[in-house]
Amino acid sequence: MKKNKRYFLDEYVYNYVKEQIFVTPPGGRLPGIRRMLKESGVGRVRLEKALQCFELENAIEVRPQSGRYRVAEPLSTVPQVFIHFGRQPVVENEASFTGGVVKVLREKARENRQSLEIINASDITQADLYKLLGKLKVRQAFVWGADNIKLLREMRSVVPYVVSILPRYPEKEISELRDSPDMTAVQLEYMFRCNYRRIAYIHNAVDWVKTPVQLLRLMDYYRIMAENGIKIEPEWVFFCAYNRETFNRSMHRLLRSGRAVQALIVPGSSLKMLYDFCANNGITIGRELAVMCSDDTGPDLIPRVTAVTNSPRDIGISAWEIMQNTIQGEHCCQNTNLRIITGETVPVINNPA
């Protein structure tokens, strides 16, 4: 276990330093060691070890009494970029959803003798982002999870080819890979086949305007349940709130509703809270309450959750193909493909009566 944690931290700080080098112009000075220690949250020995790796690769140079500088390099090899707005650096491995997508995109880039660099856009202003993209002469950009179409419009004035991955805005103006709106339909169809009827629904949409796909999924829930003649009690639907106390109150109201629920559709963001609630209240998941998750975010939870999810590898491959079509002048807008992970939390009811 300690070895896995150490490996994760080493890869984390390596990607953090790599990101700092990339956003520094060739010949420019990297942030000071104190700032990098504060931002990365790792120890000094681990950070300096990562910096030494890049020194050996001639990516940075140390100037005594001055600091560390990115080695000046020609801009003839223009990279593709993966732009994300998360607070944490992307860790490129299959255990991370975003990192799994980046891993595939980088593999595709290498196959085509290209490079893929990561930009964490949450650390810089939009104006500085556009300036950086223009200075580096980036021609292809994958943008992850953008919630503002205006940002993409302005970016296209700097970068010729942009593919938006899992956007949160409703407009469809550029090439993009959207989160499939069919998730609720797939979940309910699966649960109906397992003879469940009284199914509650937890959602995680903070702002319906910024997450229209979440609204479509909730509307599907009401529509499909009505089409199957199932009355929905008011307590059956609630927002997970990302707060354990609020979540627990909502769950207690759900359990005290007029008709007891048999099953629950839950987003990955509240799956751990649900497992803790059931454990603390003597509810056996998979036997007394069936659970179907919206994302495969709980592989270590017992029992293994049944989930409908997107595959990071499929998303990476699809995004790469959309970019190639975009370069050829074809506007592409696709939805992700969904797959069911059969866990142990939605057993078949043999005697539905």
Side-chain angles (χ1 to χ4, degrees), residues 202 238-252 264 266 270-271 273-275 277:
I202 300 176
F238 64 87
F239 169 55
C240 69
Y242 300 105
N243 177 282
R244 191 172 295 273
E245 184 177 342
T246 304
F247 179 86
N248 289 347
R249 283 200 301 266
S250 298
M251 281 299 300
H252 281 300
L264 183 61
V266 57
S270 59
L271 189 61
M273 289 191 293
L274 174 66
Y275 271 62
F277 174 87

mmCIF file of all heavy atoms in Angstrom, residues 202 238-252 264 266 270-271 273-275 277:
data_model
loop_
_atom_site.group_PDB
_atom_site.id
_atom_site.type_symbol
_atom_site.label_atom_id
_atom_site.label_comp_id
_atom_site.label_asym_id
_atom_site.label_seq_id
_atom_site.Cartn_x
_atom_site.Cartn_y
_atom_site.Cartn_z
ATOM 1 N N ILE A 202 -31.091 10.477 -6.920
ATOM 2 C CA ILE A 202 -30.270 11.554 -6.356
ATOM 3 C C ILE A 202 -29.497 12.197 -7.506
ATOM 4 O O ILE A 202 -28.891 11.498 -8.317
ATOM 5 C CB ILE A 202 -29.281 11.019 -5.311
ATOM 6 C CG1 ILE A 202 -30.032 10.341 -4.160
ATOM 7 C CG2 ILE A 202 -28.402 12.139 -4.764
ATOM 8 C CD1 ILE A 202 -29.097 9.708 -3.136
ATOM 9 N N PHE A 238 -33.791 14.133 -4.712
ATOM 10 C CA PHE A 238 -33.150 15.234 -4.001
ATOM 11 C C PHE A 238 -31.723 15.450 -4.499
ATOM 12 O O PHE A 238 -31.128 14.585 -5.144
ATOM 13 C CB PHE A 238 -33.173 15.024 -2.482
ATOM 14 C CG PHE A 238 -32.389 13.836 -1.984
ATOM 15 C CD1 PHE A 238 -31.040 13.926 -1.692
ATOM 16 C CD2 PHE A 238 -33.028 12.605 -1.780
ATOM 17 C CE1 PHE A 238 -30.318 12.835 -1.213
ATOM 18 C CE2 PHE A 238 -32.327 11.506 -1.300
ATOM 19 C CZ PHE A 238 -30.965 11.635 -1.016
ATOM 20 N N PHE A 239 -31.209 16.628 -4.193
ATOM 21 C CA PHE A 239 -29.845 17.024 -4.554
ATOM 22 C C PHE A 239 -28.881 16.526 -3.482
ATOM 23 O O PHE A 239 -29.122 16.703 -2.287
ATOM 24 C CB PHE A 239 -29.790 18.551 -4.677
ATOM 25 C CG PHE A 239 -28.410 19.127 -4.790
ATOM 26 C CD1 PHE A 239 -27.543 18.697 -5.789
ATOM 27 C CD2 PHE A 239 -27.985 20.100 -3.914
ATOM 28 C CE1 PHE A 239 -26.270 19.236 -5.904
ATOM 29 C CE2 PHE A 239 -26.712 20.648 -4.013
ATOM 30 C CZ PHE A 239 -25.854 20.214 -5.007
ATOM 31 N N CYS A 240 -27.776 15.928 -3.901
ATOM 32 C CA CYS A 240 -26.866 15.309 -2.932
ATOM 33 C C CYS A 240 -26.197 16.334 -2.017
ATOM 34 O O CYS A 240 -25.781 16.004 -0.913
ATOM 35 C CB CYS A 240 -25.812 14.473 -3.644
ATOM 36 S SG CYS A 240 -24.606 15.436 -4.583
ATOM 37 N N ALA A 241 -26.065 17.579 -2.480
ATOM 38 C CA ALA A 241 -25.602 18.716 -1.665
ATOM 39 C C ALA A 241 -24.123 18.664 -1.294
ATOM 40 O O ALA A 241 -23.601 19.640 -0.778
ATOM 41 C CB ALA A 241 -26.434 18.858 -0.392
ATOM 42 N N TYR A 242 -23.413 17.566 -1.518
ATOM 43 C CA TYR A 242 -21.984 17.450 -1.202
ATOM 44 C C TYR A 242 -21.697 17.736 0.280
ATOM 45 O O TYR A 242 -20.577 18.064 0.658
ATOM 46 C CB TYR A 242 -21.146 18.391 -2.086
ATOM 47 C CG TYR A 242 -21.282 18.106 -3.547
ATOM 48 C CD1 TYR A 242 -22.030 18.928 -4.368
ATOM 49 C CD2 TYR A 242 -20.660 16.995 -4.115
ATOM 50 C CE1 TYR A 242 -22.164 18.670 -5.723
ATOM 51 C CE2 TYR A 242 -20.788 16.719 -5.465
ATOM 52 C CZ TYR A 242 -21.546 17.562 -6.259
ATOM 53 O OH TYR A 242 -21.669 17.289 -7.601
ATOM 54 N N ASN A 243 -22.714 17.616 1.101
ATOM 55 C CA ASN A 243 -22.573 17.854 2.535
ATOM 56 C C ASN A 243 -23.166 16.651 3.264
ATOM 57 O O ASN A 243 -24.330 16.310 3.059
ATOM 58 C CB ASN A 243 -23.298 19.144 2.935
ATOM 59 C CG ASN A 243 -23.254 19.399 4.416
ATOM 60 O OD1 ASN A 243 -23.991 18.796 5.187
ATOM 61 N ND2 ASN A 243 -22.384 20.313 4.815
ATOM 62 N N ARG A 244 -22.361 16.024 4.091
ATOM 63 C CA ARG A 244 -22.774 14.762 4.708
ATOM 64 C C ARG A 244 -24.021 14.925 5.583
ATOM 65 O O ARG A 244 -24.935 14.103 5.545
ATOM 66 C CB ARG A 244 -21.619 14.186 5.534
ATOM 67 C CG ARG A 244 -21.830 12.759 6.002
ATOM 68 C CD ARG A 244 -20.565 12.233 6.635
ATOM 69 N NE ARG A 244 -19.493 12.128 5.671
ATOM 70 C CZ ARG A 244 -19.271 11.058 4.888
ATOM 71 N NH1 ARG A 244 -20.080 10.019 4.961
ATOM 72 N NH2 ARG A 244 -18.253 11.045 4.041
ATOM 73 N N GLU A 245 -24.088 16.003 6.365
ATOM 74 C CA GLU A 245 -25.226 16.205 7.249
ATOM 75 C C GLU A 245 -26.514 16.413 6.453
ATOM 76 O O GLU A 245 -27.555 15.818 6.766
ATOM 77 C CB GLU A 245 -24.962 17.407 8.161
ATOM 78 C CG GLU A 245 -26.038 17.648 9.199
ATOM 79 C CD GLU A 245 -25.704 18.798 10.121
ATOM 80 O OE1 GLU A 245 -24.513 19.180 10.189
ATOM 81 O OE2 GLU A 245 -26.637 19.328 10.769
ATOM 82 N N THR A 246 -26.427 17.247 5.413
ATOM 83 C CA THR A 246 -27.602 17.491 4.564
ATOM 84 C C THR A 246 -28.009 16.227 3.832
ATOM 85 O O THR A 246 -29.202 15.908 3.712
ATOM 86 C CB THR A 246 -27.306 18.614 3.556
ATOM 87 O OG1 THR A 246 -26.895 19.779 4.255
ATOM 88 C CG2 THR A 246 -28.532 18.930 2.713
ATOM 89 N N PHE A 247 -27.023 15.493 3.353
ATOM 90 C CA PHE A 247 -27.286 14.238 2.657
ATOM 91 C C PHE A 247 -28.010 13.255 3.571
ATOM 92 O O PHE A 247 -28.992 12.619 3.183
ATOM 93 C CB PHE A 247 -25.978 13.635 2.149
ATOM 94 C CG PHE A 247 -26.136 12.318 1.444
ATOM 95 C CD1 PHE A 247 -26.438 12.272 0.094
ATOM 96 C CD2 PHE A 247 -26.000 11.115 2.134
ATOM 97 C CE1 PHE A 247 -26.588 11.047 -0.558
ATOM 98 C CE2 PHE A 247 -26.153 9.904 1.489
ATOM 99 C CZ PHE A 247 -26.446 9.872 0.136
ATOM 100 N N ASN A 248 -27.543 13.119 4.798
ATOM 101 C CA ASN A 248 -28.158 12.176 5.733
ATOM 102 C C ASN A 248 -29.602 12.555 6.052
ATOM 103 O O ASN A 248 -30.483 11.683 6.156
ATOM 104 C CB ASN A 248 -27.338 12.114 7.027
ATOM 105 C CG ASN A 248 -26.005 11.415 6.840
ATOM 106 O OD1 ASN A 248 -25.772 10.771 5.821
ATOM 107 N ND2 ASN A 248 -25.124 11.552 7.808
ATOM 108 N N ARG A 249 -29.879 13.855 6.190
ATOM 109 C CA ARG A 249 -31.256 14.289 6.435
ATOM 110 C C ARG A 249 -32.162 13.913 5.265
ATOM 111 O O ARG A 249 -33.292 13.444 5.457
ATOM 112 C CB ARG A 249 -31.304 15.804 6.667
ATOM 113 C CG ARG A 249 -30.833 16.247 8.045
ATOM 114 C CD ARG A 249 -31.351 17.640 8.385
ATOM 115 N NE ARG A 249 -30.893 18.613 7.401
ATOM 116 C CZ ARG A 249 -29.800 19.349 7.544
ATOM 117 N NH1 ARG A 249 -29.045 19.214 8.623
ATOM 118 N NH2 ARG A 249 -29.469 20.241 6.625
ATOM 119 N N SER A 250 -31.662 14.109 4.060
ATOM 120 C CA SER A 250 -32.456 13.754 2.873
ATOM 121 C C SER A 250 -32.702 12.259 2.799
ATOM 122 O O SER A 250 -33.788 11.812 2.412
ATOM 123 C CB SER A 250 -31.743 14.239 1.604
ATOM 124 O OG SER A 250 -31.598 15.640 1.593
ATOM 125 N N MET A 251 -31.699 11.462 3.172
ATOM 126 C CA MET A 251 -31.866 10.014 3.162
ATOM 127 C C MET A 251 -32.891 9.571 4.199
ATOM 128 O O MET A 251 -33.705 8.675 3.943
ATOM 129 C CB MET A 251 -30.522 9.327 3.420
ATOM 130 C CG MET A 251 -29.607 9.264 2.214
ATOM 131 S SD MET A 251 -30.296 8.323 0.812
ATOM 132 C CE MET A 251 -30.535 6.714 1.558
ATOM 133 N N HIS A 252 -32.888 10.188 5.372
ATOM 134 C CA HIS A 252 -33.880 9.833 6.395
ATOM 135 C C HIS A 252 -35.293 10.166 5.903
ATOM 136 O O HIS A 252 -36.237 9.385 6.122
ATOM 137 C CB HIS A 252 -33.579 10.563 7.703
ATOM 138 C CG HIS A 252 -32.482 9.951 8.506
ATOM 139 N ND1 HIS A 252 -32.535 8.655 8.976
ATOM 140 C CD2 HIS A 252 -31.290 10.461 8.920
ATOM 141 C CE1 HIS A 252 -31.435 8.372 9.654
ATOM 142 N NE2 HIS A 252 -30.657 9.446 9.634
ATOM 143 N N LEU A 264 -32.094 2.824 -5.656
ATOM 144 C CA LEU A 264 -31.654 4.214 -5.670
ATOM 145 C C LEU A 264 -30.633 4.419 -6.782
ATOM 146 O O LEU A 264 -29.666 3.667 -6.892
ATOM 147 C CB LEU A 264 -31.031 4.555 -4.303
ATOM 148 C CG LEU A 264 -30.558 5.975 -4.060
ATOM 149 C CD1 LEU A 264 -31.715 6.956 -4.167
ATOM 150 C CD2 LEU A 264 -29.903 6.069 -2.686
ATOM 151 N N VAL A 266 -27.763 6.901 -7.923
ATOM 152 C CA VAL A 266 -26.935 7.848 -7.172
ATOM 153 C C VAL A 266 -25.722 8.263 -8.005
ATOM 154 O O VAL A 266 -25.131 7.435 -8.717
ATOM 155 C CB VAL A 266 -26.489 7.209 -5.833
ATOM 156 C CG1 VAL A 266 -25.751 5.918 -6.073
ATOM 157 C CG2 VAL A 266 -25.639 8.169 -5.020
ATOM 158 N N SER A 270 -21.613 11.188 -4.566
ATOM 159 C CA SER A 270 -22.206 10.946 -3.246
ATOM 160 C C SER A 270 -22.235 9.466 -2.872
ATOM 161 O O SER A 270 -22.865 9.083 -1.891
ATOM 162 C CB SER A 270 -23.628 11.517 -3.192
ATOM 163 O OG SER A 270 -24.440 10.927 -4.191
ATOM 164 N N LEU A 271 -21.533 8.645 -3.645
ATOM 165 C CA LEU A 271 -21.570 7.206 -3.400
ATOM 166 C C LEU A 271 -20.975 6.841 -2.042
ATOM 167 O O LEU A 271 -21.544 6.037 -1.297
ATOM 168 C CB LEU A 271 -20.819 6.475 -4.517
ATOM 169 C CG LEU A 271 -20.936 4.951 -4.529
ATOM 170 C CD1 LEU A 271 -22.381 4.522 -4.709
ATOM 171 C CD2 LEU A 271 -20.066 4.358 -5.643
ATOM 172 N N MET A 273 -20.780 8.704 0.642
ATOM 173 C CA MET A 273 -21.696 9.142 1.697
ATOM 174 C C MET A 273 -22.856 8.170 1.846
ATOM 175 O O MET A 273 -23.308 7.887 2.957
ATOM 176 C CB MET A 273 -22.217 10.555 1.397
ATOM 177 C CG MET A 273 -21.184 11.651 1.563
ATOM 178 S SD MET A 273 -21.898 13.326 1.518
ATOM 179 C CE MET A 273 -22.444 13.404 -0.188
ATOM 180 N N LEU A 274 -23.348 7.637 0.730
ATOM 181 C CA LEU A 274 -24.447 6.677 0.779
ATOM 182 C C LEU A 274 -24.017 5.394 1.486
ATOM 183 O O LEU A 274 -24.747 4.864 2.339
ATOM 184 C CB LEU A 274 -24.937 6.361 -0.635
ATOM 185 C CG LEU A 274 -25.998 5.262 -0.728
ATOM 186 C CD1 LEU A 274 -27.291 5.712 -0.053
ATOM 187 C CD2 LEU A 274 -26.256 4.867 -2.174
ATOM 188 N N TYR A 275 -22.833 4.878 1.155
ATOM 189 C CA TYR A 275 -22.352 3.656 1.798
ATOM 190 C C TYR A 275 -22.185 3.871 3.305
ATOM 191 O O TYR A 275 -22.523 2.994 4.112
ATOM 192 C CB TYR A 275 -21.025 3.210 1.170
ATOM 193 C CG TYR A 275 -21.180 2.288 -0.006
ATOM 194 C CD1 TYR A 275 -21.832 2.700 -1.169
ATOM 195 C CD2 TYR A 275 -20.694 0.987 0.030
ATOM 196 C CE1 TYR A 275 -21.969 1.844 -2.255
ATOM 197 C CE2 TYR A 275 -20.826 0.122 -1.046
ATOM 198 C CZ TYR A 275 -21.470 0.559 -2.184
ATOM 199 O OH TYR A 275 -21.613 -0.298 -3.254
ATOM 200 N N PHE A 277 -23.795 6.084 5.163
ATOM 201 C CA PHE A 277 -25.125 6.223 5.759
ATOM 202 C C PHE A 277 -25.757 4.855 5.991
ATOM 203 O O PHE A 277 -26.299 4.589 7.061
ATOM 204 C CB PHE A 277 -26.022 7.068 4.851
ATOM 205 C CG PHE A 277 -27.449 7.149 5.312
ATOM 206 C CD1 PHE A 277 -27.842 8.129 6.213
ATOM 207 C CD2 PHE A 277 -28.403 6.237 4.855
ATOM 208 C CE1 PHE A 277 -29.160 8.199 6.661
ATOM 209 C CE2 PHE A 277 -29.717 6.302 5.296
ATOM 210 C CZ PHE A 277 -30.102 7.285 6.197
#
